[in-house]
Every structure is written in structure tokens, then in C-alpha cells.
């Protein structure tokens, strides 16, 4: 596939990161756009073209691409960006079935760009890969600032408006080759200036399958559900997967005896990206000092207590990150996965034991396009909020008694 001879389409895996992905491709001379967040029409279109046993992300990405192809001129060449991954997950097979679906639907003009996680996606040329990773860090951080501020905003809509304005600024900067670290400090200033209520909401971590946890249609707007019910969401970022593939590449090179030269070259590239992540978070400490992601080694050290490293994929990340969320003060964790997801089934079973050990509710949600599935999240969070309010009331009454002089 020559990506410069067609439109590179990025699936809407994340509100901001997908658009940053497209901007990164444009910065390298490609024509690229992010597919808009799917809706029920895309879901039905994807279901019509599949067998019904595929997981939700695959159905959605097929539906979204088919709709986009139908909207464009028939002679346009389309290239769907659909990476592959190792491990017990159907994600690694998406691109194979998608090729068959597009061909069966008469879309010979749709091709697939499928770099692999085996070498942490180093199949993409270095310049483009660097731009993508910078876009991922900036997009993830923008989302963190949004979820840190929006639950407390005095005027509804202020944060969403700032999110869109800031995202356009970052997209434009990335496309023009500007270092996004020169743009971020001004965006942080804008978020800090949003008028907010001074209150403390229970923190809710979101883990699980990367597409479903980050795609707001797929997860029934779970972040908004958390915010409407009195919580503050902390979404595990896209760059968690980037860090994991780099760490896994290092691990596998030691296990399988890759060539010293090839391994050393890859590790030097990966080290650059890990240092880049630190530089981004340092810039936003004014707002996100308590929202840094734990080091990948910490996540995997916790996950390895329940799953082996060789069992690659998101399950070990979901378990390890949940444990660390509990240590970081989360009052609840939502484990989001597509219906029928093998890693999701494994982690939901492990969480039956872990939730008692952590003394924290862990809600495993399996999504299949039903937008009203988050009732359990709402109910448990309302109970947590009410219990915390009751606790504060009791504490305030105790303080009042202590300040009242004794009678007689």
C-alpha cells in the first residue's frame, strides 16, 4: 500500500487522539482524515456486512469506513489505518476480514494499512511515527485536562468549547510541524482559567479494551454518565498501549534472542518516545500533577501477579492498572470491553476476587451497541457519592460538637 496515493482514514478510537493521528499523517505529506465517531447507522451498516460474531470495534470500524466510502467519489482510493496486535484477541485479525468485507461490498478501492505491534509499529517510517506519537501524547493530555475540569465547571459547555478550540490548535500545529510542547502551556493556562466549583468528587478509573473504553459511542458515553452522577473520570490513555508495545518488544527480544543490532536500534527509538512522554507531562503539571500515568513496569509488575507476560494483550494492563488506580485514590473502576471479548472475560473473572482485596467496586461492562447499558455504573456511583456526603455530614457534626462549650 502506498498511503500517499489515497485518503488515509483513521478509525474514531478516541475523541482527540484519532484527529491527532490524521494530522500527523498530513504533516508527513499524506491526505488523511479521522472518521467521525460512529452512530447507530454505522453500527447497523457494519452488522449487515458481518456475521454477528465479531466484536463491537470491528463492526463499528467496518460500518464507519463503508459509510465514508459511499459518501466520497466512486473513483477515490481509500486506505483504512488498521494496525495489528499479538495476543488472544481478534484485533489482530480485523484487517483480514475487513479486506473480504470491502471486496464483497464492491469496494475494490479500499485498501488497508496494517503496521504490527511486534516491533511497536516501526513499520511506519520514522518521521511519521514520531509525529503520531507526539499527537497521541498531546491528544491524551487534552482529554485528561477536559475530564479533570469539566465535572466542576460553573457554566456548562465551557470545557467542551475549550476542548474543541484546543484540539483544532493542536491539529493545526502538528500538521505544520510545530513542536506541540510549544503550544500546550497556553492550552493549560486556558483550562486553569475555566471557572470551577471547589468540591471533591469520587474518582472513577476506566480500563479495558482500548477501542471500547475510548470510543464514546461504543461505551454509551460512560465518561458523561460518570460526570452526570457526581463522579470524575480518569480514562486510561491511548499511549498506555504505545508504552506497552515498546516494553513488550524489549521483553520478547530478551526471550527470543533477536539480533543485537536490530534490538539496540529499536530500543533507542523506543527510549526516545518514553523520554518524550515525560517531557509532555512536565509541561502540564500545573493542572495534571496528580494525573500522571504510572510507569509501564509498575503496571506490568502488578498484572504479572495474575497473568504471565507471554499472555500478551490488554488483559495484563487492565488488571495492573486497576490495582494502581486503587492506590491512586479511585473509589471505583469501570472495566469496559466488547461483548464476547476474551481479555475482557478473563479480567472480569479476576476482578471477582480483586474487588474484595482492593475494597473497591469494579464494574465489568460488556458493550454491544446498547447505549443504555451503563445503569449499573450510575447506581453504584450514586451510592458512593451519597455515602461520601453522609460521611462529610457526620464529620461536620462532630466538628460542631467539638466547638460547642460543655453545659453545666
Amino acid at each position: 500500500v502506498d498511503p500517499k496515493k489515497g485518503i488515509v482514514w483513521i478509525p474514531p478510537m478516541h475523541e482527540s487522539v484519532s484527529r491527532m493521528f490524521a494530522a500527523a499523517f498530513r504533516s508527513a505529506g499524506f491526505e488523511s482524515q479521522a472518521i467521525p465517531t460512529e452512530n447507530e447507522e454505522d453500527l447497523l451498516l457494519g452488522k449487515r456486512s458481518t456475521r454477528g460474531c465479531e466484536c463491537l470495534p470491528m463492526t463499528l470500524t467496518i460500518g464507519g469506513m463503508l459509510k465514508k466510502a459511499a459518501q466520497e467519489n466512486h473513483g477515490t482510493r481509500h486506505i483504512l489505518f488498521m494496525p495489528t496486535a499479538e495476543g488472544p484477541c481478534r484485533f489482530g485479525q480485523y484487517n483480514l476480514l475487513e479486506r473480504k468485507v470491502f471486496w464483497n461490498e464492491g469496494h475494490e478501492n479500499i485498501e488497508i494499512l496494517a503496521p504490527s505491534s511486534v516491533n511497536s509499529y516501526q513499520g511506519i517510517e520514522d518521521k511519521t511515527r514520531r509525529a503520531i506519537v507526539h499527537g497521541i501524547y498531546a491528544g491524551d493530555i487534552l482529554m485528561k485536562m477536559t475530564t479533570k475540569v469539566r465535572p466542576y465547571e460553573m457554566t456548562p459547555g465551557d470545557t467542551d468549547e475549550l476542548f474543541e478550540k484546543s484540539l483544532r490548535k493542536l491539529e493545526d500545529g502538528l500538521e505544520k510541524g510545530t513542536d506541540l510542547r510549544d503550544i500546550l502551556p497556553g492550552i493549560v493556562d486556558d483550562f486553569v482559567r475555566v471557572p470551577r466549583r471547589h468540591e471533591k468528587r469520587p474518582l472513577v478509573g476506566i480500563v479495558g479494551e482500548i477501542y471500547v473504553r475510548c470510543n464514546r459511542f461504543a461505551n454509551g458515553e460512560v465518561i458523561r454518565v460518570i460526570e452526570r452522577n457526581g463522579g470524575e473520570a480518569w480514562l486510561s490513555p491511548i499511549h498506555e498501549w504505545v508504552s506497552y508495545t515498546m516494553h513488550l518488544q524489549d521483553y520478547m527480544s530478551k526471550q527470543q534472542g533477536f539480533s543485537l543490532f536490530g534490538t539496540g536500534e529499536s530500543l533507542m527509538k523506543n527510549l526516545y518516545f518514553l523520554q518524550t512522554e515525560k517531557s509532555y507531562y512536565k509541561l502540564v503539571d500545573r493542572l495534571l500533577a496528580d494525573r500522571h500515568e504510572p510507569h509501564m513496569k509498575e503496571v506490568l509488575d502488578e498484572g504479572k501477579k495474575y497473568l504471565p507476560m507471554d499472555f500478551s494483550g490488554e488483559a495484563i494492563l487492565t488488571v495492573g492498572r486497576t490495582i494502581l488506580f486503587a492506590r491512586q485514590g479511585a473509589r471505583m473502576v469501570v472495566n469496559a470491553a466488547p461483548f464476547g471479548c476474551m481479555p475482557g472475560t478473563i479480567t472480569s473473572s479476576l476482578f471477582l476476587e480483586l474487588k474484595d482485596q482492593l475494597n473497591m467496586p469494579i464494574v465489568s461492562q460488556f458493550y454491544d451497541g446498547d447505549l443504555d447499558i451503563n445503569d449499573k455504573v450510575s447506581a453504584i456511583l450514586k451510592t458512593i457519592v451519597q455515602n461520601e456526603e453522609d460521611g462529610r455530614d457526620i464529620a461536620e457534626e462532630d466538628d460542631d460538637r467539638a466547638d460547642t462549650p460543655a453545659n453545666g
Side-chain angles (χ1 to χ4, degrees):
V1 177
D2 183 355
K4 292 193 176 181
K5 295 181 180 178
I7 304 174
V8 179
W9 293 98
I10 311 299
M13 55 190 163
H14 189 279
E15 283 188 68
S16 52
V17 171
S18 297
R19 286 168 58 178
M20 295 300 291
F21 249 90
F25 272 109
R26 293 195 298 271
S27 75
F30 302 95
E31 184 178 357
S32 182
Q33 298 180 42
I35 298 173
T37 300
E38 303 96 345
N39 54 30
E40 291 185 62
E41 180 185 353
D42 300 299
L43 176 63
L44 293 174
L45 191 59
K47 284 185 173 181
R48 191 198 71 189
S49 305
T50 51
R51 298 163 297 177
C53 59
E54 298 81 5
C55 61
L56 182 60
M58 179 158 198
T59 306
L60 289 177
T61 53
I62 287 176
M65 186 68 249
L66 285 174
K67 185 163 78 173
K68 267 297 168 190
Q71 291 171 347
E72 300 287 327
N73 294 330
H74 185 69
T76 302
R77 183 168 176 264
H78 304 286
I79 302 159
L80 177 63
F81 180 73
M82 182 54 62
T84 66
E86 299 295 296
C89 174
R90 287 167 285 185
F91 177 48
Q93 301 296 313
Y94 282 10
N95 69 92
L96 302 177
L97 181 55
E98 284 164 345
R99 292 177 201 275
K100 293 184 65 175
V101 169
F102 297 148
W103 184 267
N104 291 339
E105 292 287 332
H107 291 288
E108 294 91 348
N109 58 332
I110 301 179
E111 298 182 45
I112 297 177
L113 177 61
S116 172
S117 67
V118 172
N119 63 351
S120 60
Y121 306 107
Q122 290 181 27
I124 302 172
E125 63 179 2
D126 285 346
K127 180 183 176 182
T128 308
R129 184 169 176 256
R130 283 195 297 271
I132 288 172
V133 173
H134 279 271
I136 290 173
Y137 291 143
D140 276 333
I141 284 173
L142 177 60
M143 192 67 192
K144 279 197 183 195
M145 290 192 286
T146 301
T147 55
K148 180 77 183 289
V149 170
R150 188 168 58 201
Y152 308 99
E153 63 186 4
M154 298 288 285
T155 305
D158 276 358
T159 312
D160 286 337
E161 183 179 341
L162 181 55
F163 169 84
E164 182 59 34
K165 174 185 172 184
S166 302
L167 181 52
R168 288 177 182 172
K169 192 179 296 184
L170 289 168
E171 285 178 286
D172 185 60
L174 185 56
E175 185 173 351
K176 292 177 178 176
T178 304
D179 191 330
L180 300 181
R181 289 166 292 191
D182 294 334
I183 300 173
L184 267 177
I187 292 176
V188 175
D189 290 342
D190 290 339
F191 273 89
V192 168
R193 284 194 290 265
V194 173
R196 285 173 282 167
R197 295 184 298 276
H198 297 288
E199 61 184 44
K200 186 65 176 176
R201 290 181 170 214
L203 189 63
V204 181
I206 303 174
V207 298
E209 193 275 328
I210 195 166
Y211 197 95
V212 167
R213 78 177 187 230
C214 295
N215 178 289
R216 55 193 178 90
F217 174 77
N219 61 42
E221 300 273 9
V222 69
I223 289 178
R224 302 280 183 165
V225 169
I226 289 167
E227 292 175 354
R228 283 198 302 268
N229 288 281
E232 177 190 332
W234 183 343
L235 174 66
S236 294
I238 295 286
H239 72 256
E240 176 191 69
W241 181 255
V242 177
S243 298
Y244 171 64
T245 59
M246 293 176 186
H247 196 96
L248 190 62
Q249 184 185 12
D250 181 26
Y251 171 80
M252 295 303 292
S253 69
K254 294 173 182 175
Q255 298 296 311
Q256 299 178 7
F258 289 176
S259 73
L260 181 61
F261 175 76
T263 301
E265 184 181 23
S266 292
L267 294 182
M268 286 300 293
K269 292 177 181 179
N270 291 343
L271 180 62
Y272 164 79
F273 293 125
L274 294 174
Q275 294 299 325
T276 301
E277 177 186 348
K278 292 180 182 178
S279 69
Y280 270 86
Y281 274 94
K282 187 176 180 180
L283 287 172
V284 297
D285 265 351
R286 188 178 173 198
L287 182 62
L288 298 179
D290 58 346
R291 292 293 179 270
H292 286 214
E293 291 300 313
H295 192 281
M296 181 50 58
K297 185 178 184 303
E298 294 180 67
V299 177
L300 294 175
D301 282 347
E302 294 301 330
K304 282 190 295 186
K305 296 174 183 177
Y306 298 87
L307 292 165
M309 272 291 293
D310 298 89
F311 189 77
S312 58
E314 288 161 330
I316 193 169
L317 298 178
T318 298
V319 173
R321 190 66 188 91
T322 295
I323 294 170
L324 294 179
F325 263 134
R327 292 180 188 169
Q328 290 172 309
R331 296 298 315 281
M332 171 181 168
V333 165
V334 176
N335 175 27
F339 180 75
C341 174
M342 181 188 292
T345 301
I346 292 169
T347 55
S348 66
S349 299
L350 292 172
F351 287 154
L352 294 175
E353 174 188 346
L354 258 176
K355 65 180 181 179
D356 294 328
Q357 294 179 10
L358 299 174
N359 193 28
M360 177 184 69
I362 304 173
V363 183
S364 291
Q365 292 282 91
F366 288 90
Y367 298 93
D368 197 23
D370 184 352
L371 297 181
D372 299 320
I373 198 174
N374 289 311
D375 290 347
K376 189 174 182 181
V377 174
S378 302
I380 293 176
L381 184 53
K382 284 178 180 177
T383 301
I384 292 172
V385 170
Q386 187 61 56
N387 288 343
E388 291 202 351
E389 288 178 352
D390 291 345
R392 282 196 292 271
D393 290 341
I394 293 170
E396 288 168 4
E397 289 174 8
D398 289 343
D399 289 342
D400 290 341
R401 292 193 195 100
D403 293 337
T404 303
N407 291 326

